[in-house]
Amino acid sequence: MARKPRLRTSSATKGRLRLVVVQALVLSLFVTLFARLWYMQVLGGEAYQAQAAEQSIRELVVQPARGLIVDDMGRPLVANRTSWVVSLDRTMLHKMSDDQQATLLARLSKAVDVPVKKIEARTLLCGEPGSVAGTCWNGSPYQPVPVAEDVRQQVAVSIMEQQEDFPAVLVESQNVRAYPSPYGINAAHVLGYLSPITEAELDEAKAQHDTSVHGASVVGRAGLEKEYDKYLRGRPGYKRVAVDSMGRVLGDSGEVQGKAGDTLVTSIDARVQAVVEQQLEQTIKTARRTYDKVTHKNYVADSGAVVVMDAKNGRVVAMAGAPTYNPKVWVGGITSKQLSRLYSAKADNPLLFRATQGQFAPGSTWKPIMTTGALNNGFSPSTRLDCSSGFQVGNRWFKNYESASYGSIGFDRALQISCDTFFYRVGYRFWQRYGTDEGDVNAKDPLVKTAKLYGFGKPTGIDLPGEASGRIADRHWKRAYWEANKSYYCKIGKKPGNDFLHVFAREFCVDGYAYRAGDAVNYVIGQGDTLVTPLQSARAYAALSNGGTLYEPRVAKAIVGPNGKVIRTIKPAKVGRVKLSRKSLRYVDQALLGTARTGTTAWKFIDFPLDKVHIRSKTGSAEVHGKQSTSWVASYDKNYVVLMMVTQGGTGSGTSGPAVRKIWEALYGVKGMKVDTAKAALPGARTPLGLPVFARDGEILPPVARPSTTKGKKR
Amino acid sequence: MSVVAVRPRSPRPQRQTLAGTTTRVKAARLDWVLMLAAGALLAIGALLVWSATSTRDDLTAGDPNSYFKKQLVNIAIGVVLGVMVAATDHRWVRILAPLVYVASVIGLVLVLVMGSTINGSRSWIQLGGLSVQPAEFAKLAVVIGMALLVAERTEGSLRTKEVRSLDVVGMLAIAGLPALLILLQPDLGTMLVLSATVFGVLAVSGARRTWLAGLFAGAVVTATLAVRLHVLKAYQLDRFMAFTNPNLDPRGAGYNTTQARIAIGNGGIFGQGLFGGSQTKSGFVPEQHTDFIFTVAGEELGLVGSAVLIALLGVVLWRALRIAMRTDDLFGRVAAAGIACWFGFQAFQNIGMCLGIMPVTGVPLPLVSYGGSSMFASLMALGLLQNIHLRSGEGIGVARSRLQRSRF
């Protein structure tokens, strides 16, 4: 009996002892839980809260309406329209099972008519395995990726109505560029185009805390769209919506207001632009139907450009280049086929804006510039030189155009009839006086200096990106060119052969640096290696018109906020004065008046009211080695400069003359021999002084008319 | 099992004489702290279930209150079952225990034969409109089955009060049959809980330390072999280990554990308020009204609310262990301790899973998670605890005499 109770107690005690152990164990487990809870909710709380916000709040970008681009009368040249965009939320998509994903993609592909493979390629992040640069998504991985743009409204609405069938799919309306094209204008080169932001640009914007762009932004790539991008793009807004685990929107939870882009007012006038574009197109068409006796085929007329500038301030009224492209191809993404066409040489590089990016030998349009230089460096209006049928320089006979001979004449007549031999003699005199040492790169050259005074050889500084600088083929350039290329030509010269290339190569190898008399006489008539852009030339003529002021040309006039308030007025910047005597400029100005009456353009200005519209003009037919000549006409009066060129287009006045006349007629409302400025393209045939009026309701009205006192002033 | 037939020995007249007074005495002697804690857990649980499902149209088919109502019904049924268990005479409990055990084994077999598969394991049988999870009842059955065996063998023995090895083998056999059936489902979570419970029951029953150490070592070796011999497939292992690195099973357990952590971490100290949790409302955490119910508390009630929830569970366990300590009846002590081990480990397993310190396995949080079977089994277990408590409270003298008598 004594043993048993002891045993029983021992068993019970054992159990009780073990219960204490269990109690301690339970306590420690629960303390562990509490500690972990504290660690997660207090210590790590912020990180988890951030993650929670990231997945349950989706930031929807509210694309700002990009700013309008309007012309001088307030007509929209570039506007916006609504486009339906279907996007896919990557985060939500990847939460689905593979089967669900496949089903959804197939359904979506059918709805928006985009192949599944393409959708998949677009939703890959750039840098992910299998991503293809250009199609991959370079935006935030948490933002919905647009997979179909410009979807028909019917499709967009049907997807929105069947949200449950399209989880992770978003449909939004987006603003895209629209081209209202007043008077049928194109103006693609001036306006430019947009394309999606690149990853590098986005990274850079992020590094600079630039909030004006995000992954789905489009940015200006050319023309005004690029130059004034930061004003036009506005600032995107962000709408924060709560979403559930399947990506369905539960409700709004805050919005950061964006800001619409500013409106850009330009000095382009759609009516003038329309005339200019039509004339350029017509001129090229006509040239292509015209037989060239020299090359025994029709003119190729592969490209051309027209610049209409306000001579008083350097503002561009109209500017066109050919070939051009339809700016709409960029809207909502360009296809690679379209893009390769735009870049192809076969299509004559339609993206290249000939007016500012094309560089051409100026031909005889160079002569008035040279004349002002000569008159300031020893020659005078009373100078008389022989306009013979040819001129011997060294061992080479330089012919006059069509070997005509006009006897002893002055600068005025030489300009009007565009006498080459007269100018050869001018150039030769300077070379003889200063430059007979052919190897001296620092030899004085007043005519090169003159060209620099007019701003040739440097970009004009117009507010359009990618401008070319042109080039003055002076002694420095020739030396540099020789040094850069001599090894190449010397190698060719060593090989046997007596054709043109080999002979040239041998000569070039030896003394290609030499600036010979032949170079000097070629230079003075705008031949040889000197290149100008049509815009540079137009600006130089504007200086002749306004008495010697050189402007940085401007397309933009002002930036106006979405509320109609002017944010910035863009004044044409004066580069400076052409430092040549006013007398000499006036002399050339008067001489060029005669071109349309009795000179090279006279046959194209028959029955034109030249006594009311005082057109000064100069033609040019620049010869290009191996190609047909470039047709140039530069013309101006006190208000405008009209300059036109067509490459491989024939003679200056023959090809471009009629178009230039038509443009002048439009500018002044010329009908027969009558001038009716009321019918002119611009009210009163003058560029408007003020900006368009931005009405409170958002409408843009033409500017207030100029005071009538300016009418009847001398043009 | 034949032991059972020997049981109804107690003199019927004695009980009848007491019948008039016992009901009042019993009510007064209920463990009210346990009752209150359990009631609070049930109330909080129902609210959490409501919050987790009110915005889930895909689950509720449009009625935001449907799960709340269903859970209230579950609780009501469970309370009735629990009261029935509590009110049953302890002798009848011993008689009915084997029936409960046999019923749950049959249930587990039925599951394997005609069960429906949810989340990769075959754990449910459809009975009419109800889906029953026999594994939940099996836990209770194993606990009382083992308690019964040890009590019968030890109390009935003249020679020793020690738990003999044969008894341990018998207890393991009782646990082994349902465990095997659960492994076949496979339901790893329930298996883990069951193992911990069995271990606890063995420990409290007084099995020798060598047995405990041997079983523990055996479990470790078995687990190692299962991994080494690829009995567990690589994906199953990844799934199991996903709580350490969610990338091991990014769309399954890894996703669950990540979302659970985000939801709880999002709660902060005071939480986002009941029905105010952004993650809960948006349904980011899968199975949030059942296995991941704790994440609702974590997000909406914050550290404070979750700590209260853990503390309430702690109170339940404390009371259960207290009942185990105070009872002189071996059956009662082992059963109460077994229930405490079961609740304790399952709660730790469930909350630990939500907190990312335990593997993602589908076990419900006792008294809180949505679900009928688990609720019924838990409330029946609570009823049994009250039953044991009442009995130990019937008077030390009575108990002593009864214990003495039971040996003869």
Side-chain angles (χ1 to χ4, degrees):
Chain A
M1 257 330 253
R3 201 172 136 254
K4 277 172 189 169
R6 195 178 54 80
L7 271 174
R8 204 175 67 82
T9 318
S10 131
S11 171
T13 312
K14 201 194 226 171
R16 289 218 165 85
L17 256 166
R18 286 186 177 169
L19 272 174
V20 172
V21 174
V22 169
Q23 243 168 356
L25 217 64
V26 165
L27 188 69
S28 65
L29 286 183
F30 276 49
V31 167
T32 307
L33 287 182
F34 184 78
R36 173 70 181 172
L37 197 60
W38 184 78
Y39 172 79
M40 279 174 68
Q41 296 192 308
V42 179
L43 282 187
E46 262 173 52
Y48 286 117
Q49 278 151 31
Q51 281 184 51
E54 193 176 80
Q55 66 176 4
S56 63
I57 302 280
R58 185 160 54 199
E59 235 176 30
L60 297 178
V61 176
V62 184
Q63 284 270 27
R66 198 173 161 88
L68 304 180
I69 301 179
V70 302
D71 80 346
D72 60 344
M73 294 293 157
R75 306 172 189 112
L77 305 178
V78 184
N80 300 305
R81 67 179 169 82
T82 300
S83 156
W84 290 98
V85 179
V86 175
S87 318
L88 203 51
D89 192 305
R90 285 171 37 89
T91 323
M92 303 310 165
L93 182 69
H94 291 168
K95 274 183 199 159
M96 298 182 197
S97 71
D98 288 341
D99 284 353
Q100 285 174 312
Q101 285 188 29
T103 315
L104 174 66
L105 289 184
R107 195 179 291 148
L108 182 63
S109 162
K110 206 175 152 198
V112 298
D113 199 19
V114 176
V116 172
K117 279 210 170 130
K118 215 167 170 181
I119 296 179
E120 279 173 341
R122 288 183 85 163
T123 51
L124 282 177
L125 291 180
C126 290
E128 262 186 341
S131 63
V132 181
T135 49
C136 60
W137 174 238
N138 57 20
S140 159
Y142 303 107
Q143 263 169 16
V145 184
V147 291
E149 271 122 1
D150 246 339
V151 174
R152 277 181 303 125
Q153 179 157 357
Q154 201 187 334
V155 174
V157 170
S158 86
I159 292 178
M160 282 193 284
E161 282 173 350
Q162 304 170 57
Q163 248 310 295
E164 67 281 359
D165 282 348
F166 292 98
V169 176
L170 275 106
V171 180
E172 287 167 300
S173 66
Q174 202 182 54
N175 284 316
V176 296
R177 277 319 212 191
Y179 299 90
S181 195
Y183 301 102
I185 66 158
N186 165 277
H189 292 124
V190 175
L191 301 173
Y193 55 86
L194 308 166
S195 75
I197 191 164
T198 66
E199 204 173 353
E201 286 167 334
L202 197 62
D203 289 346
E204 198 191 314
K206 268 183 200 154
Q208 292 172 352
H209 304 289
D210 178 1
T211 55
S212 67
V213 286
H214 56 87
S217 285
V218 282
V219 292
R221 293 292 176 208
L224 294 169
E225 295 272 29
K226 181 178 184 183
E227 186 78 23
Y228 294 99
D229 197 33
K230 67 171 175 169
Y231 294 103
L232 290 168
R233 66 165 68 138
R235 198 179 56 242
Y238 294 92
K239 205 157 90 186
R240 293 156 61 83
V241 292
V243 290
D244 70 6
S245 57
M246 293 308 289
R248 286 168 297 220
V249 174
L250 301 177
D252 285 358
S253 70
E255 185 170 356
V256 179
Q257 282 287 339
K259 182 184 159 290
D262 302 322
T263 300
L264 183 70
V265 180
T266 67
S267 56
I268 300 286
D269 186 84
R271 278 184 76 177
V272 180
Q273 180 75 20
V275 172
V276 160
E277 286 176 8
Q278 284 155 18
Q279 289 307 318
L280 180 60
E281 196 187 335
Q282 192 53 51
T283 300
I284 288 175
K285 271 188 191 159
T286 308
R288 286 175 181 170
R289 285 199 302 268
T290 308
Y291 185 71
D292 176 17
K293 278 173 280 182
V294 183
T295 56
H296 307 295
K297 60 174 184 183
N298 282 4
Y299 288 112
V300 176
D302 56 336
S303 70
V306 180
V307 178
V308 178
M309 187 183 272
D310 187 333
K312 287 177 156 56
N313 52 29
R315 289 197 192 280
V316 176
V317 178
M319 191 152 61
T324 183
Y325 58 89
N326 186 348
K328 283 179 194 161
V329 301
W330 294 93
V331 175
I334 188 167
T335 67
S336 53
K337 203 172 148 193
Q338 287 169 323
L339 191 64
S340 59
R341 197 197 82 86
L342 289 185
Y343 281 115
S344 75
K346 208 174 144 201
D348 294 316
N349 296 307
L351 285 182
L352 187 76
F353 188 21
R354 268 49 178 201
T356 62
Q357 299 174 310
Q359 307 183 93
F360 311 97
S364 301
T365 56
W366 194 240
K367 287 170 185 166
I369 312 298
M370 293 298 102
T371 303
T372 57
L375 292 175
N376 282 272
N377 289 281
F379 289 93
S380 82
S382 59
T383 301
R384 288 295 177 272
L385 293 170
D386 189 13
C387 178
S388 55
S389 62
F391 179 65
Q392 184 75 35
V393 180
N395 58 0
R396 200 176 147 195
W397 179 250
F398 285 81
K399 278 193 290 187
N400 198 10
Y401 181 69
E402 290 177 345
S403 298
S405 167
Y406 292 86
S408 186
I409 54 172
F411 275 102
D412 48 357
R413 194 66 196 139
L415 286 171
Q416 286 157 12
I417 62 173
S418 199
C419 177
D420 288 344
T421 47
F422 180 97
F423 282 96
Y424 288 148
R425 287 185 163 87
V426 173
Y428 190 63
R429 288 260 189 101
F430 280 113
W431 183 82
Q432 269 187 320
R433 194 186 305 165
Y434 302 114
T436 46
D437 180 358
E438 290 175 346
D440 178 10
V441 292
N442 293 317
K444 196 175 163 186
D445 195 333
L447 295 183
V448 165
K449 208 181 134 204
T450 304
K452 285 181 180 164
L453 288 176
Y454 283 94
F456 289 103
K458 277 195 294 189
T460 62
I462 190 174
D463 48 354
L464 289 177
E467 196 193 356
S469 66
R471 126 183 124 202
I472 302 170
D474 58 4
R475 286 163 186 261
H476 286 279
W477 174 81
K478 205 164 182 206
R479 165 74 71 168
Y481 183 79
W482 175 72
E483 276 170 6
N485 294 289
K486 65 178 174 186
S487 64
Y488 170 74
Y489 281 108
C490 289
K491 218 182 268 172
I492 293 176
K494 275 176 198 149
K495 286 173 190 159
N498 280 312
D499 56 349
F500 173 79
L501 178 68
H502 287 81
V503 173
F504 172 82
R506 268 164 224 145
E507 281 172 17
F508 183 89
C509 177
V510 177
D511 57 0
Y513 61 87
Y515 194 80
R516 299 170 194 285
D519 293 317
V521 304
N522 255 337
Y523 169 76
V524 80
I525 64 158
Q527 290 295 151
D529 295 306
T530 298
L531 298 175
V532 303
T533 67
L535 184 69
Q536 283 177 327
S537 197
R539 175 173 72 153
Y541 276 93
L544 287 177
S545 163
N546 63 32
T549 308
L550 203 63
Y551 286 98
E552 262 188 20
R554 282 285 176 272
V555 180
K557 277 178 99 171
I559 289 152
V560 180
N563 53 2
K565 230 172 92 183
V566 177
I567 290 170
R568 197 185 129 191
T569 50
I570 298 158
K571 291 201 178 94
K574 278 183 195 171
V575 177
R577 264 193 57 79
V578 178
K579 289 189 186 62
L580 296 169
S581 74
R582 283 183 187 278
K583 228 175 90 187
S584 64
L585 297 178
R586 205 173 309 129
Y587 174 83
V588 171
D589 183 61
Q590 290 305 306
L592 293 180
L593 266 177
T595 314
R597 293 177 184 278
T598 60
T600 49
T601 53
W603 63 302
K604 295 293 178 188
F605 277 90
I606 297 164
D607 290 338
F608 186 88
L610 288 170
D611 48 344
K612 294 194 185 97
V613 182
H614 308 276
I615 296 175
R616 289 80 159 166
S617 58
K618 183 71 200 82
T619 58
S621 310
E623 277 155 38
V624 181
H625 181 74
K627 284 186 177 170
Q628 293 162 316
S629 62
T630 305
S631 163
W632 287 89
V633 170
S635 62
Y636 67 89
D637 73 344
K638 280 295 156 200
N639 294 324
Y640 302 108
V641 176
V642 176
L643 183 136
M644 180 170 187
M645 56 84 46
V646 177
T647 58
Q648 308 204 60
T651 62
S653 56
T655 302
S656 303
V660 171
R661 176 178 174 154
K662 284 268 166 51
I663 294 168
W664 281 109
E665 285 175 355
L667 283 172
Y668 282 100
V670 175
K671 192 96 186 179
M673 286 299 284
K674 275 196 200 141
V675 176
D676 184 359
T677 51
K679 286 187 176 145
L682 289 158
R686 296 287 305 279
T687 53
L689 271 180
L691 296 173
V693 177
F694 288 80
R696 206 162 287 175
D697 59 1
E699 206 180 339
I700 308 174
L701 306 165
V704 181
R706 272 174 189 261
S708 55
T709 47
T710 53
K711 253 191 186 174
K713 259 193 174 180
K714 196 183 159 196
R715 288 171 195 119
Chain B
M1 223 53 92
S2 56
V3 197
V4 180
V6 196
R7 250 309 79 206
R9 261 191 226 162
S10 69
R12 202 158 283 269
Q14 189 178 350
R15 190 181 168 272
Q16 274 167 348
T17 53
L18 286 167
T21 51
T22 39
T23 30
R24 212 178 307 131
V25 175
K26 267 187 182 173
R29 283 188 186 154
L30 278 177
D31 187 337
W32 285 103
V33 177
L34 176 63
M35 291 281 274
L36 282 175
L41 282 172
L42 289 172
I44 294 173
L47 288 175
L48 296 179
V49 167
W50 194 8
S51 175
T53 54
S54 65
T55 55
R56 298 288 299 275
D57 288 348
D58 49 334
L59 290 173
T60 61
D63 178 10
N65 306 329
S66 73
Y67 270 71
F68 180 59
K69 289 182 205 156
K70 283 191 214 165
Q71 180 74 339
L72 290 182
V73 171
N74 287 339
I75 291 172
I77 296 172
V79 167
V80 170
L81 288 171
V83 168
M84 279 164 64
V85 172
T88 307
D89 187 282
H90 66 277
R91 286 157 298 192
W92 278 101
V93 168
R94 285 191 173 203
I95 296 166
L96 290 172
L99 294 179
V100 172
Y101 180 83
V102 170
S104 48
V105 169
I106 291 172
L108 287 172
V109 172
L110 282 178
V111 155
L112 290 175
V113 177
M114 47 170 275
S116 53
T117 307
I118 296 177
N119 292 336
S121 64
R122 192 178 276 264
S123 312
W124 309 78
I125 35 174
Q126 302 290 339
L127 280 182
L130 278 171
S131 44
V132 182
Q133 212 178 353
E136 293 299 328
F137 296 102
K139 286 180 265 191
L140 180 63
V142 165
V143 167
I144 54 175
M146 285 170 79
L148 191 58
L149 179 91
V150 73
E152 290 298 337
R153 297 280 295 169
T154 312
E155 287 169 2
S157 163
L158 294 167
R159 287 193 298 131
T160 179
K161 292 287 139 289
E162 280 287 318
V163 178
R164 288 153 300 182
S165 291
L166 192 63
D167 301 338
V168 174
V169 172
M171 285 160 85
L172 285 176
I174 286 177
L177 182 60
L180 185 72
L181 293 169
I182 287 167
L183 263 185
L184 288 174
Q185 290 183 1
D187 184 348
L188 208 53
T190 305
M191 186 58 208
L192 277 176
V193 173
L194 196 61
S195 305
T197 309
V198 167
F199 193 80
V201 168
L202 285 175
V204 174
S205 69
R208 262 191 240 113
R209 218 170 288 164
T210 44
W211 265 110
L212 298 179
L215 280 174
F216 187 77
V220 171
V221 169
T222 310
T224 315
L225 283 178
V227 173
R228 283 288 163 85
L229 300 177
H230 303 288
V231 176
L232 271 177
K233 306 246 165 46
Y235 79 90
Q236 288 174 313
L237 193 66
D238 281 347
R239 221 196 142 120
F240 192 74
M241 294 310 289
F243 76 100
T244 57
N245 176 9
N247 290 332
L248 288 176
D249 185 14
R251 279 195 203 148
Y255 177 77
N256 290 15
T257 190
T258 307
Q259 289 299 340
R261 280 184 239 188
I262 290 175
I264 291 172
N266 195 33
I269 296 178
F270 297 107
Q272 302 195 350
L274 201 62
F275 297 98
S278 65
Q279 305 301 295
T280 301
K281 270 198 302 188
S282 307
F284 280 97
V285 187
E287 302 298 327
Q288 204 179 12
H289 57 300
T290 57
D291 298 346
F292 284 92
I293 192 73
F294 186 77
T295 61
V296 184
E299 186 182 25
E300 301 194 340
L301 307 179
L303 179 70
V304 175
S306 314
V308 167
L309 192 65
I310 294 176
L312 285 172
L313 284 163
V315 169
V316 169
L317 294 179
W318 165 51
R319 295 311 285 194
L321 290 168
R322 188 168 169 272
I323 289 168
M325 292 274 239
R326 296 218 168 165
T327 186
D328 286 322
D329 173 27
L330 188 55
F331 171 80
R333 182 163 74 236
V334 173
I339 289 167
C341 287
W342 159 25
F343 275 32
F345 188 79
Q346 187 164 325
F348 178 74
Q349 160 72 19
N350 179 283
I351 297 174
M353 162 181 91
C354 293
L355 293 173
I357 54 174
M358 288 296 278
V360 177
T361 49
V363 294
L365 188 58
L367 303 173
V368 182
S369 282
Y370 173 82
S373 306
S374 142
M375 185 60 72
F376 304 157
S378 304
L379 284 170
M380 282 164 79
L382 283 183
L384 185 60
L385 283 176
Q386 294 289 8
N387 187 309
I388 296 162
H389 174 73
L390 288 175
R391 197 170 155 227
S392 63
E394 265 178 22
I396 288 149
V398 181
R400 181 169 290 276
S401 70
R402 207 167 269 171
L403 281 169
Q404 296 284 351
R405 186 204 58 235
S406 67
R407 282 191 283 123
F408 299 102

